[in-house]
Amino acid sequence: MDFESYWAAVDDELAVVPARAVLESVAERSTAESVSYTVRLTSSGPYRVFGHLSIPSGPGPFPALLMTPRYGSVNHVPHPNDRSRYVVFGVMHRGQRLADESFAAAYPGLLTLGIDEPASYIYRGIVADCLRAAEFLFGLAEVDPARVAVSGDDLALLTAARRPGFGAVRLSELLFYRAMEARLRSSLYPLEELNDHLRAGAVEEQVLKTLSFFDPVRHASAVSAPTLVAADDADWFAPLIEALPASEVYQVTHLDGTDNDALDAWLADRFGVPPMSRFVRP
Amino acid sequence: MRDPENAVVEVELPADFDEFWAAGLAECATYPLDPVLTELPALSTDKVIVYDLRYTSYGGLRIAGWYTVPRGLPAPYPALVTIPGYISEPTVPKEWSELGYAALAVAPRGKLRSNDVFNPGYPGLLTHNIVDHHTYGYRGFYLDVVRAVDVLLDRPEVDAERIGLQGSSQGGGLGLSTAALRPDVIACVAAGAPYLCGIMTAPTLTRSYPYEEINEYLRAHPKDADRVRETVAYYDGLNFAPRVQAPTLLYLGLEDDVCPPETGFAVHRALRCEKQLHTFPHCAHHAGLPDVMRIVEDFLADHLKPGR
């Protein structure tokens, strides 16, 4: 199966599965600034996934922010700073907490689950979950469709590549990018999962083949939105940066207060909302 | 402007604080530890042997962990308990065994591999039964880490005189509580950006999770504020800190929105043991990562002497 048909099949599967969204308000999380909801959606499979949604108070439409899930069992509820400025949707993919009724992801283990065959790789469904989340967000009446951003790791990039319309993409801490090279740099997880899998007898060519469908560089040319790549080693990320049609690089300082503020300000500036630091400065 | 170093962060010490925790430890002791180690060749390397670990803790719950030992180095080894953050799952601590430690990465109750019985979820753990210190969700969670130390004491390849604790955020906070509850055993503690310190003050200084869970709880249950305050005082790192006897390394980000630096400085003031403090301007909850890990590794090596 080639690259395009692999992903077209994912789109086809989603197209025939209604999302059947159910929203429930969360009183304790709702304030004068925003109203919060839990959301359950059907993704491919079919599989019910979960998300935290919030909508700012006041007359819309509002800029919007899709937060793709990190690698791990838990994603925090979107920060009040973001909830006050954007329609925010933070999605939990299949297997993560709150989306684990029929499948609980293992850590370590998720990164290599089904990786020996592209069609069975768990991330095929996880990307579908993110695409479904994007469709849901774009469908909300409160959202200004000209100001929708996606933020996260490779999943954010793949989502922007597969769903047109995003006005900004913010990338950090990529997982799949040059993963088969990066796995050799240390014994730290999650990339150590690849080493564990290969030690257990997996065929490297098969793993490489599967990962090639998720290679951010292969998806990059389809991302038309301005894209900020947070990178601590510009040389390492050069192939991706060159492949993105409208990329900017934020040089990560590892002063994470500074980095957090800079990433926040980049998106705020694009969408005409005030920048906000999570570190409260009276 | 905030002045974290000089901010006043106070927590009332419950009159029965020591008795409360002594009772918890005593109840733990009524359950046989019953550790079961299963070697995992698929996760092991030419440098490290990896085991799945299960043991019994408070309330009789079976708790999971990853246990790793150096391959090819002579025992006994110094040992570390590595303690996970609030939303993190413990990772297999191969990197520590590559440095010569036996390492136990504990998954306290509620973490994925230890949640058959207790599973408050995230968000949820911080406020689970927060109106009752006897049944507060963190009670067993804290004791699960203490029991992990007992597992190390049970291991013949571990030098019982060289057991340390390492973690950041929740791992830092529970490093302090564990050292306080086992002052006879713990040789040193490296605690980054400690969480669960100044628990009632922190939500007034930040809107970030997990402390925001307390703000949400009090929004829904405003009449419970006094009971919440009473409960968390039993779990507050500021009350454990004076009981820590092991040399302790603290490191803080001075723009930490998750665990406000005011609370970290307060912990440092409350510690009466040999202590080091490293602060990192313009850093948030990473508190100096990745560079700070060199300081952590040197501190642990000075006290635990891997490869000796």
Side-chain angles (χ1 to χ4, degrees):
Chain A
M1 181 177 284
D2 67 21
F3 184 80
E4 281 306 322
S5 57
Y6 181 84
W7 289 108
V10 172
D11 291 338
D12 291 345
E13 290 172 29
L14 281 171
V16 298
V17 176
R20 299 192 193 282
V22 173
L23 282 69
E24 294 185 12
S25 63
V26 184
E28 66 270 24
R29 198 166 295 144
S30 298
T31 66
E33 295 176 324
S34 65
V35 180
S36 290
Y37 303 87
T38 61
V39 178
R40 293 190 183 276
L41 297 168
T42 301
S43 180
S44 66
Y47 195 98
R48 291 292 271 180
V49 296
F50 178 91
H52 294 293
L53 171 70
S54 66
I55 298 174
S57 302
F62 304 99
L65 174 60
L66 173 63
M67 300 173 66
T68 56
R70 70 184 194 108
Y71 188 82
S73 65
V74 178
N75 299 290
H76 271 314
V77 176
H79 194 280
N81 285 1
D82 292 331
R83 301 195 319 238
S84 72
R85 296 175 293 172
Y86 308 100
V87 176
V88 188
F89 189 48
V91 62
M92 320 292 127
H93 67 63
R94 62 190 64 199
Q96 290 186 311
R97 298 266 192 171
L98 303 171
D100 57 354
E101 283 186 9
S102 57
F103 162 62
Y107 301 91
L110 183 72
L111 184 59
T112 56
L113 185 61
I115 200 170
D116 299 315
E117 286 293 337
S120 64
Y121 189 35
I122 187 64
Y123 267 87
R124 184 181 186 276
I126 288 172
V127 172
D129 301 341
C130 296
L131 299 179
R132 173 90 329 153
E135 294 164 0
F136 169 75
L137 185 60
F138 274 106
L140 294 175
E142 295 87 348
V143 168
D144 176 355
R147 293 185 294 165
V148 181
V150 59
S151 180
D153 59 16
D154 320 60
L155 293 173
L157 188 150
L158 267 65
T159 302
R162 301 299 310 174
R163 289 294 177 272
F166 285 101
V169 182
R170 194 172 58 186
L171 304 176
S172 58
E173 300 184 19
L174 300 183
L175 178 62
F176 288 106
Y177 179 68
R178 299 174 71 175
M180 289 295 274
E181 297 170 73
R183 72 181 175 88
L184 301 173
R185 291 179 156 191
S186 79
S187 61
L188 295 176
Y189 287 88
L191 288 177
E192 178 69 1
E193 292 186 35
L194 296 172
N195 295 325
D196 291 342
H197 191 66
L198 293 168
R199 265 194 301 272
V203 177
E204 184 168 345
E205 288 71 24
Q206 285 297 112
V207 174
L208 271 168
K209 179 183 176 187
T210 298
L211 289 177
S212 72
F213 288 97
F214 298 83
D215 180 353
V217 175
R218 295 187 75 184
H219 289 271
S221 64
V223 179
S224 57
T227 303
L228 185 66
V229 181
D232 59 359
D233 181 347
D235 291 339
W236 174 260
F237 285 99
L240 175 63
I241 292 159
E242 290 167 9
L244 286 163
S247 66
E248 294 178 44
V249 177
Y250 173 72
Q251 178 66 49
V252 171
T253 66
H254 292 298
L255 307 172
D256 54 327
T258 299
D259 293 341
N260 293 345
D261 289 353
L263 295 173
D264 181 279
W266 180 83
L267 183 59
D269 181 55
R270 293 209 156 268
F271 283 179
V273 297
M276 297 179 77
S277 176
R278 292 187 177 190
F279 186 70
V280 177
R281 295 178 175 87
Chain B
M1 288 292 290
R2 287 165 65 165
D3 182 10
E5 187 166 4
N6 296 303
V8 175
V9 180
E10 294 178 331
V11 180
E12 187 172 341
L13 178 67
D16 62 344
F17 181 86
D18 292 316
E19 291 79 2
F20 173 76
W21 285 106
L25 293 170
E27 182 177 338
C28 269
T30 66
Y31 297 98
L33 192 60
D34 192 18
V36 174
L37 287 167
T38 306
E39 187 174 342
L40 301 173
L43 301 187
S44 300
T45 69
D46 58 347
K47 296 176 182 172
V48 179
I49 305 171
V50 178
Y51 298 88
D52 175 276
L53 167 68
R54 310 281 161 158
Y55 62 92
T56 302
S57 182
Y58 178 75
L61 270 65
R62 295 291 282 174
I63 301 301
W66 302 111
Y67 181 60
T68 59
V69 295
R71 189 193 293 277
L73 293 181
Y77 311 116
L80 282 175
V81 176
T82 65
I83 310 165
Y86 189 73
I87 64 171
S88 305
E89 290 300 320
T91 58
V92 184
K94 293 179 189 177
E95 71 276 18
W96 289 111
S97 288
E98 289 173 354
L99 296 175
Y101 299 93
L104 195 171
V106 59
R109 65 193 60 202
K111 294 293 183 188
L112 284 178
R113 297 194 308 135
S114 304
N115 67 2
D116 289 349
V117 176
F118 177 77
N119 191 16
Y122 299 88
L125 172 63
L126 181 56
T127 58
H128 181 85
N129 287 350
I130 198 170
V131 294
D132 176 5
H133 63 280
H134 290 287
T135 60
Y136 186 35
Y138 262 124
R139 188 177 197 190
F141 197 101
Y142 277 48
L143 291 168
D144 294 341
V145 182
V146 177
R147 291 288 269 183
V149 175
D150 293 338
V151 171
L152 291 178
L153 290 171
D154 191 59
R155 295 303 306 163
E157 69 275 13
V158 166
D159 181 347
E161 303 295 318
R162 292 186 289 160
I163 295 177
L165 305 168
Q166 184 272 330
S168 192
S169 191
Q170 180 179 260
L174 267 71
L176 298 172
S177 62
T178 304
L181 292 171
R182 295 308 302 271
D184 52 326
V185 174
I186 300 304
C188 64
V189 186
Y195 173 54
L196 299 164
C197 298
I199 298 171
M200 290 303 281
T201 300
T204 69
L205 295 168
T206 184
R207 305 173 75 199
S208 295
Y209 290 90
Y211 281 125
E212 182 66 9
E213 288 186 35
I214 291 181
N215 289 330
E216 291 181 1
Y217 186 89
L218 294 177
R219 200 175 291 137
H221 307 280
K223 293 180 180 176
D224 285 346
D226 288 343
R227 293 200 291 178
V228 170
R229 183 180 306 279
E230 178 185 325
T231 295
V232 300
Y234 287 87
Y235 297 84
D236 201 300
L238 294 184
N239 286 334
F240 284 109
R243 290 157 173 77
V244 175
Q245 295 181 14
T248 298
L249 167 69
L250 278 180
Y251 50 100
L252 311 175
L254 295 183
E255 295 182 12
D256 189 343
D257 61 294
V258 178
C259 296
E262 288 85 348
T263 62
F265 279 112
V267 167
H268 183 252
R269 286 193 298 271
L271 287 167
R272 295 170 187 161
C273 55
E274 177 187 329
K275 57 189 177 183
Q276 294 182 28
L277 175 65
H278 295 263
T279 60
F280 295 89
H282 308 297
C283 286
H285 198 49
H286 289 179
L289 287 174
D291 294 345
V292 73
M293 285 311 295
R294 179 63 62 193
I295 296 172
V296 172
E297 289 175 9
D298 289 348
F299 170 82
L300 294 173
D302 284 347
H303 290 90
L304 301 177
K305 304 194 184 317
R308 187 180 74 186

